[in-house]
Amino acid sequence: YQADLRRAINAASCDIQPLVVVVKDRGIETALAPLAWSPEFIGKFAYAFVSDPEDLRVIDGAPKGAGVLVVQPDTYGTRAKMLASDGGANGEDLARALRTGASKFVGETKDSRKQLQEGKRQGIYWKTEIPVTDPGGPPKRP
């Protein structure tokens, strides 16, 4: 799990992966954990846990109840859209939601230079947890 949904969406976007969000129900983890480590799904998703449904406001189409959501992060890792969901802890239903989400996920090729330029143009900035104190990057060689 990532530390919070904001970072999870960003990390999944950077890694070009769908994100699985477990909402409110830690009991779902019992059914989800073996799936996450299974040969079919291992390494295919990033994961996050959300206890406050208000956090889901950054996911377009997210249902309000507990369950598992499979989402597609946007290009800049600030929002996401629903791909699939399941409200229960049944392993087969969860596997079906993971398969559906994975099949709907559209990975995009990223060019970091173009992405940074376009992000600046759109006014998208990432606020780091640790302030950046180096104003100019690495020191220049003499």
Side-chain angles (χ1 to χ4, degrees), residues 5 8-10 12-13 16-23 44-48 50 55-56 58-63 67-74 77-86 97-98 100-107:
L5 185 59
I9 290 173
N10 187 261
S13 177
I16 311 173
Q17 286 186 309
L19 174 65
V20 174
V21 182
V22 177
V23 183
K44 292 189 179 180
F45 300 94
Y47 293 87
V50 173
D55 292 342
L56 299 177
V58 296
I59 301 175
D60 298 331
V68 170
L69 315 177
V70 182
V71 302
Q72 167 121 18
D74 70 0
T78 58
R79 296 194 59 80
K81 70 176 182 178
M82 282 290 302
L83 298 175
S85 67
D86 182 67
L98 294 178
T100 300
S103 71
K104 290 182 178 181
F105 179 77
V106 179

